Amino acid sequence: MTSEIQQLEQNIQHSKKAVELGNALERLLNNRDFKNIILKGYMEQEAVRLVHLKAAPAMDSPAKQTAIMRDIDAIGSFAGFLKEIQRQAELGRKDIAFSEETIEAIRAEELNDE
């Protein structure tokens, strides 16, 4: 087995971990409780509440505005985290397919050289 095949097989194993994490996220995103509490409750309703709170006269002190923005940023950061897991999983799927095709081509070439 060539070192190139070994490297490609290691790449497949690494990519499978990203795909497995993406699959776990998909299951989570389809879970009714997760949808209700996190996607709707936190990422939608809480985001709207914070935006309205930001404009409230009682919340106009710099410290309160900073705290509100920190909470808004947290929602955005969490959304970005989930999107990155999805992106890595998609890249992993593509890498697995490419690596498997490359291994097949290398093996076919090795057979032809014999």
Side-chain angles (χ1 to χ4, degrees):
M1 186 178 331
T2 67
S3 63
E4 186 176 3
I5 290 177
Q6 289 174 336
Q7 182 64 37
L8 289 164
E9 288 178 343
Q10 288 175 349
N11 184 48
I12 289 170
Q13 292 309 311
H14 176 75
S15 295
K16 282 183 178 181
K17 290 178 184 176
V19 171
E20 288 171 10
L21 190 61
N23 292 341
L25 177 58
E26 286 305 312
R27 289 190 302 274
L28 196 58
L29 292 173
N30 289 318
N31 179 284
R32 181 181 48 192
D33 293 332
F34 184 83
K35 285 180 182 180
N36 189 38
I37 294 169
I38 303 300
L39 298 181
K40 185 174 181 179
Y42 178 64
M43 297 182 76
E44 289 179 18
Q45 294 170 344
E46 180 65 359
V48 170
R49 184 189 76 81
L50 289 167
V51 168
H52 288 283
L53 190 61
K54 185 162 176 33
M59 302 303 285
D60 66 352
S61 76
K64 290 178 182 177
Q65 288 293 308
T66 298
I68 292 167
M69 286 308 300
R70 181 195 66 231
D71 291 348
I72 290 171
D73 289 344
I75 293 170
S77 180
F78 182 64
F81 173 73
L82 298 179
K83 294 270 187 225
E84 182 61 16
I85 290 172
Q86 290 173 321
R87 188 182 78 76
Q88 290 293 325
E90 184 56 33
L91 287 174
R93 287 182 192 95
K94 290 177 182 177
D95 285 346
I96 290 169
F98 174 79
S99 295
E100 288 174 344
E101 289 171 9
T102 304
I103 288 171
E104 286 179 27
I106 291 170
R107 288 186 174 146
E109 186 177 309
E110 287 175 350
L111 287 175
N112 288 337
D113 289 346
E114 291 180 357

